[in-house]
Amino acid sequence: MGLPRIGVELGRFLDQTDSIAQFEQLFDLLSAFALNFDCPWTAYGPLAPEQKVLKPAQADSAIMLNYPNGWRERYFKMGYDKIDPIIKKSRKGVGAIRWSEVYKDASTTENERRVLDEAATFGLKSGVTVPLHGPAGSFTIVSFAQSWDREFQNKTVTYLQLAALHFHVKVTKFANSNALKQVQDLSLREKECILWTARGKSSWEIGKILGISGNTVNFHLKNAMRKLDTASRIGAAIKAASLGIIQV
């Protein structure tokens, strides 16, 4: 593909994503853009600082990938999450990383190379991963893979990196807007109950402090848990604090 054509496709991708605020649709556009470079496989996902690997998550998660199902199943069944050299390299690197360079690197072990060898048998024969490091140790990777073994040209890597960064910014803004909506949706009483939960108080104690029954406290906490999409009151308290809803 010629350089002018690549610029046109990137411009179209940027324009299309500006009018979309849905994870799945944004990912579809990123995947379609990657096809311009013969990359049918795309993966995106934020990792916690201590998390070793990008794992499939719930449908409402910002983790998305279209890798072959057979490879995904094999990857986790064999525990390749513990030896994936691409993620290991990405944690320490800045800028796009060619898989071929990681494979040839003297520090890459035979076990780590086996991950890439087996990926190739499922059609992921060459690829490039873009590590995106953010505040508070946040870390996200975007990977693009081809179904044949060939080197990525420098201009291809540059355009994929630009698209990955733009996509990540859009997804992050959308996630932040959802978080803001969660803040707005919590009632004053729900915030009060979450606050006292974060301070270690039981439902009975919170009821005494607020002048309501323990059952009413539980009612408000359940509503807060649902709105914050957490499975426990402690989880809701932690998330509320991280979002700035409460000040412990």
Side-chain angles (χ1 to χ4, degrees), residues 186 190 218-229:
L186 282 180
E190 289 164 357
N218 290 334
F219 171 77
H220 289 307
L221 286 174
K222 286 181 179 179
N223 282 338
M225 288 161 53
R226 175 178 53 80
K227 292 177 181 179
L228 291 169
D229 191 27

Side-chain angles (χ1 to χ4, degrees), residues 5 11 15 19 40 64 76 107 111-112 114 151 160 176 194 243-244 246-247:
R5 167 91 186 279
D15 290 340
S19 60
M64 292 164 279
F76 297 114
S107 67
N111 278 342
E112 291 170 342
R114 189 172 72 247
E151 288 294 332
L160 289 175
N176 288 342
I194 285 292
L243 291 174
I246 59 174
Q247 300 294 325

Side-chain angles (χ1 to χ4, degrees), residues 21-95:
Q22 295 292 331
F23 290 139
E24 294 80 7
Q25 292 177 357
L26 287 170
F27 183 73
D28 287 344
L29 287 175
L30 179 66
S31 300
F33 178 74
L35 285 175
N36 289 301
F37 306 94
D38 299 318
C39 294
W41 314 117
T42 304
Y44 168 86
L47 303 176
E50 73 281 0
Q51 190 175 346
K52 301 297 184 183
V53 64
L54 172 67
K55 294 186 177 182
Q58 297 176 349
D60 60 350
S61 169
I63 298 179
M64 292 164 279
L65 66 164
N66 64 2
Y67 284 2
N69 288 334
W71 171 234
R72 292 166 63 176
E73 293 170 3
R74 174 74 175 174
Y75 185 93
F76 297 114
K77 179 181 178 181
M78 297 300 293
Y80 287 156
D81 51 308
K82 299 177 179 63
I83 59 173
D84 190 328
I86 301 301
I87 292 180
K88 182 181 75 172
K89 188 74 171 180
S90 296
R91 285 191 178 281
K92 302 176 182 178
V94 176

